[in-house]
Amino acid sequence: MAELSAWAADFANTFYKCFIKEDRYKLLLSGIGVTIRVSLIAVALGILIGLLVALCNLSNKKLLKAIGGIYTDVIRGTPSVTQLMIIYFVIFATVNIPKWIIAGIAFGINSGAYVSEIIRAGILSVDKGQTEAGRSLGLNGYQTMIHIVIPQAVKNIFPALCNEFIVLIKETAIVGYVGLMDIQKAGDFIKSATFVAFMPLIGTAVIYYVLIKLLTLVFKKIEERLRKSEIR
């Protein structure tokens, strides 16, 4: 009993030292905001780039197909941390915009390569008869793709897109390389300031888990609604 009390007292003291003392918990709260902002920019840009690249890869024009193929190969063949540092320290080195926007752009470009393959597979999964039906109604190729094929493809690829968004949130843990105070960087800062490793690392892991768990539940509800509308 005495050992348990001593452990509880030590745990409480360590918790206070890591998160309460000097308002260190505010670093984690600020880090959550940075992670969410970077992820939202990245997912929006990634979907836009992914759609454009997917259409390029599905195009009959050799130039567009070559552009899409080169982009996908280069992005998927190089580490995301290297891409982040090139975009931050080279491409945007002289541009005066917030770091989190630059990081969002970097992750969006990275995500676009993976999203493009998801979208391409989703478009190919739609029965060709749907395209023929659209053309028979007088729609041109572009209108058929936008109004008939892509809406059906979205339902097929939604789970994969949600998974990509979740992976993206975890990948943003490397933004500390460009000086951004995200969740992981805040945990590292607390670890360095207190010389305690366990509590800050477990704290950051719990925050990531809770954040991703909440997103998973939201995405599951949206997917259920999409499936219900499909049945109707």
Side-chain angles (χ1 to χ4, degrees), residues 13 15 21 23 33 45 64-65 113 119 124 136 138 141 147 213:
N13 182 59
F15 185 88
K21 188 178 180 180
D23 293 333
L45 186 60
L64 292 177
K65 233 175 184 180
I119 293 176
L124 291 176
S136 67
H147 297 293
K213 188 65 176 178

Side-chain angles (χ1 to χ4, degrees), residues 20-162:
I20 308 301
K21 188 178 180 180
E22 298 180 4
D23 293 333
R24 292 192 176 111
Y25 70 93
K26 291 183 179 179
L27 293 173
L28 292 170
L29 292 178
S30 177
I32 293 171
V34 170
T35 297
I36 291 174
R37 291 199 302 270
V38 171
S39 299
L40 287 175
I41 289 180
V43 73
L45 186 60
I47 291 174
L48 177 60
I49 293 175
L51 177 60
L52 294 175
V53 173
L55 294 176
C56 286
N57 289 333
L58 291 170
S59 174
N60 294 324
K61 297 181 179 179
K62 292 183 179 179
L63 178 60
L64 292 177
K65 233 175 184 180
I67 292 172
I70 292 171
Y71 167 81
T72 304
D73 285 343
V74 171
I75 296 300
R76 293 174 67 183
T78 54
S80 55
V81 64
T82 304
Q83 297 166 17
L84 173 65
M85 296 179 76
I86 289 173
I87 290 172
Y88 182 83
F89 291 111
V90 179
I91 297 175
F92 286 95
T94 59
V95 180
N96 186 24
I97 59 176
K99 292 180 180 181
W100 64 272
I101 293 179
I102 297 175
I105 293 171
F107 284 108
I109 293 173
N110 176 270
S111 179
Y114 298 93
V115 171
S116 68
E117 291 300 293
I118 294 172
I119 293 176
R120 185 178 69 86
I123 291 173
L124 291 176
S125 70
V126 177
D127 191 272
K128 290 183 178 180
Q130 298 296 316
T131 302
E132 294 172 358
R135 299 306 293 270
S136 67
L137 291 172
L139 301 177
N140 58 34
Y142 172 80
Q143 291 172 326
T144 302
M145 180 65 69
I146 296 298
H147 297 293
I148 295 179
V149 177
I150 291 180
Q152 293 184 61
V154 167
K155 292 182 180 181
N156 296 332
I157 66 176
F158 184 76
L161 285 178
C162 292

